[in-house]
C-alpha cells in the first residue's frame, strides 16, 4: 500500500451485515479501493466498509476471500476475521446439512444398527439362507 502504513483490516459482522474495519479512504486509500473492488461499500458515518444487506453467506465468503487476496497482494498486513463472523457464515451450511439426508445412509450422530451374524460368528450372507 502506498503512501501510508497499512492498517490491519478485520472482517466482522454488524447485525446481519458483513463489514470490514480498518481501511478508511482518507487514511488508507489503497485498502479502501481493494475492498470496493471486492464489493464492499464505504459508510462514512460508521467508518467501515460493508457488503450489501442480504448478501448470501456463501457470496460473502467469496467476497471476503477476494478482498483478502487483493489486500495481501497490495501489501496489507494483519488481516483478520472476527470469530462471530465465522459462526455466522457457517450457519447456512449447518442448516442445510441438518435438513439434507442421503437415502439409505444413517443420520449423522445416530447409532448404526448391528450387523447380523452367522452361526459361526461371521457376518450373515444376505443371499444365502441360514
Amino acid at each position: 500500500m502506498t503512501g501510508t502504513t497499512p492498517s490491519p483490516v478485520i472482517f466482522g459482522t454488524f447485525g446481519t451485515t458483513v463489514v470490514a474495519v480498518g481501511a478508511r479512504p482518507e487514511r488508507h486509500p489503497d485498502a479502501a479501493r481493494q475492498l470496493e473492488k471486492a464489493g464492499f461499500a464505504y459508510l462514512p458515518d460508521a467508518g467501515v466498509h460493508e457488503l450489501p444487506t442480504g448478501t448470501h453467506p456463501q457470496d460473502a465468503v467469496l467476497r471476503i476471500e477476494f478482498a483478502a487476496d487483493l489486500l495481501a497482494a497490495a501489501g496489507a498486513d494483519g488481516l483478520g476475521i472476527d470469530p462471530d463472523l465465522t459462526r455466522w457464515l457457517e450457519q447456512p451450511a449447518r442448516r442445510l446439512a441438518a435438513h439434507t439426508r442421503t437415502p439409505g445412509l444413517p443420520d449423522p450422530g445416530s447409532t448404526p444398527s448391528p450387523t447380523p451374524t452367522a452361526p459361526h460368528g461371521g457376518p450373515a450372507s444376505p443371499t444365502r439362507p441360514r
Side-chain angles (χ1 to χ4, degrees):
M1 311 253 162
T2 60
T4 59
T5 305
S7 71
V9 174
I10 306 297
F11 296 97
T13 57
F14 184 74
T16 58
T17 304
V18 175
V19 297
V21 180
R24 290 180 177 259
E26 63 275 7
R27 290 188 184 150
H28 306 284
D30 290 343
R33 277 193 295 279
Q34 302 309 326
L35 288 169
E36 289 167 9
K37 283 181 188 176
F40 287 80
Y42 184 65
L43 300 175
D45 293 341
V48 300
H49 285 78
E50 74 170 0
L51 287 178
T53 301
T55 299
H56 191 278
Q58 289 175 335
D59 185 32
V61 168
L62 295 174
R63 289 175 186 253
I64 291 167
E65 288 176 351
F66 183 50
D69 288 346
L70 291 172
L71 289 163
D77 192 14
L79 299 175
I81 190 163
D82 184 301
D84 287 336
L85 175 59
T86 304
R87 285 188 287 278
W88 182 80
L89 293 171
E90 290 173 347
Q91 286 175 357
R94 288 181 185 160
R95 280 193 300 269
L96 180 62
H99 296 299
T100 305
R101 302 285 183 244
T102 303
L105 294 178
D107 287 342
S110 68
T111 306
S113 58
T115 304
T117 56
H120 55 75
S125 172
T127 56
R128 282 189 270 156
R130 287 196 227 175

